[in-house]
Amino acid sequence: MMLRRLAAVAAVASLMGLAACATPSNPAAMTLPATAGLTASAGDVGYKSVTTVNVSGGNETNPLWTAQVSNADFKTALENSLNAAGYMGSEGRPLVVTASLVNLKQPMAGLDMSVTSEVRYSVTRDGTVIFNDTVSATGVGTMGEAFVGTERLRIANEKSIQENIKEFLKRFRAQAR
């Protein structure tokens, strides 16, 4: 009888441990859809001209630790966001976008988790820098979105990166006019 109870407790503890495993960020959740005022059109600087996107500074998620943002997932989200905004393509003089994830400030715990991402963006054309700025943005994962803390952290990461990309596009459009 005691052995059965011990086995049941071990099984429940194992399942709870699995439920708390961190999952990687979802590029689709970090992608900024086409947004009024942020999309390029013919004649705008960079319209269908971004041919290369380089990303660095991300980290792979360790399921036993905390959710992170990998370079590959961030790159996919940035490329998809640039595409939705009308910047990806080869119609104009080629642009190279480089994004370096400088910092991903995450809480250790909390009910509503707030994550701040800091990304250094650089845009070059023919080796000349036409945009160079560091963008900071915050995203929040709430208890209403996910009960498990690791999921709230992942959601906050995704929202933070999406907001960061949005702010980058705002600043790029403002400076590139």
Side-chain angles (χ1 to χ4, degrees):
M1 184 72 156
M2 180 70 157
L3 211 49
R4 282 188 184 170
R5 285 187 182 162
L6 192 56
V9 167
V12 169
S14 295
L15 288 175
M16 288 178 67
L18 287 176
C21 289
T23 55
S25 297
N26 178 358
M30 295 186 292
T31 298
L32 182 68
T35 304
L38 296 180
T39 56
S41 54
D44 289 344
V45 172
Y47 176 71
K48 296 197 181 215
S49 298
V50 176
T51 58
T52 307
V53 174
N54 300 310
V55 172
S56 64
N59 291 308
E60 296 293 326
T61 295
N62 178 342
L64 300 176
W65 191 234
T66 60
Q68 296 292 319
V69 176
S70 71
N71 288 334
D73 292 342
F74 184 23
K75 180 178 181 175
T76 299
L78 183 55
E79 286 175 337
N80 290 343
S81 298
L82 289 167
N83 190 47
Y87 287 101
M88 293 298 292
S90 57
E91 289 185 19
R93 290 174 48 202
L95 294 178
V96 175
V97 174
T98 302
S100 178
L101 183 56
V102 176
N103 192 16
L104 193 63
K105 188 188 295 185
Q106 301 173 310
M108 289 302 288
L111 296 179
D112 290 345
M113 295 192 181
S114 178
V115 171
T116 301
S117 58
E118 186 178 347
V119 180
R120 179 101 185 141
Y121 292 96
S122 175
V123 180
T124 59
R125 176 188 290 141
D126 302 325
T128 302
V129 176
I130 63 170
F131 179 88
N132 190 17
D133 200 0
T134 300
V135 175
S136 184
T138 301
V140 179
T142 66
M143 278 289 280
E145 294 170 303
F147 179 72
V148 178
T150 55
E151 287 301 299
R152 283 194 311 277
L153 183 60
R154 179 190 52 78
I155 291 167
N157 285 344
E158 293 166 349
K159 287 181 177 182
S160 177
I161 294 296
Q162 186 183 60
E163 284 300 312
N164 200 291
I165 293 169
K166 183 178 185 178
E167 184 62 25
F168 158 63
L169 287 174
K170 282 182 187 177
R171 292 184 190 184
F172 178 72
R173 285 185 57 77
Q175 286 186 16
R177 292 183 183 254

